[in-house]
């Protein structure tokens, strides 16, 4: 009932063209043109000049980002630790209940 059907390769229906034969050609040497003198290239980007206020703002924002990311990571670590401890305590309680029922019978 559920047997896979193996596809068969159909016969080609169009004309088949043979690959063209590539014949080697000779390279022609040309004399180089007279170089055109160029001016010095302009810098691609202007240089960034930081003022003391901008440096203080960058340091302050970087510190704030580090503190926020650190607080988030520490809170996630604490959540995992608390969850693990509570699961361990639940496992101990369930085990003691099961052992207490087995001793009473």
């Amino acid at each position: 009932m559920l047997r896979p059907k193996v596809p068969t390769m159909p016969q080609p229906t169009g004309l088949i063209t043979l690959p063209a034969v590539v014949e080697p050609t000779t390279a022609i040497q040309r004399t180089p043109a007279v170089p055109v003198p160029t001016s010095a290239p302009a810098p691609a980007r202007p240089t960034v000049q930081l003022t003391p206020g901008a440096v203080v703002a960058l340091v302050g924002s970087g510190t704030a980002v580090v503190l926020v990311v650190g607080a988030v990571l520490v809170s996630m670590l604490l959540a995992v630790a608390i969850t693990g401890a509570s699961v361990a305590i639940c496992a101990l309680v369930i085990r003691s209940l099961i052992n207490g029922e087995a001793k009473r019978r």
Side-chain angles (χ1 to χ4, degrees):
M1 180 176 153
L2 296 175
R3 292 190 177 157
K5 294 182 180 179
V6 180
T8 58
M9 182 69 173
Q11 296 295 325
T13 57
L15 294 175
I16 300 174
T17 58
L18 298 175
V21 178
V22 178
E23 296 180 7
T25 57
T26 58
I28 300 173
Q29 295 284 336
R30 296 185 183 202
T31 58
V34 178
V36 178
T38 59
S39 61
R45 301 187 312 178
T47 57
V48 177
Q49 296 179 353
L50 295 176
T51 61
V55 170
V56 169
L58 283 174
V59 169
S61 63
T63 303
V65 167
V66 167
L67 289 176
V68 168
V69 170
V72 168
L73 291 177
V74 167
S75 65
M76 289 172 65
L77 178 66
L78 283 174
V80 169
I82 291 170
T83 304
S86 64
V87 168
I89 291 171
C90 289
L92 288 175
V93 169
I94 291 172
R95 188 177 74 173
S96 72
L97 289 174
I98 290 174
N99 286 339
E101 282 291 320
K103 288 181 181 178
R104 290 183 191 163
R105 291 183 183 189

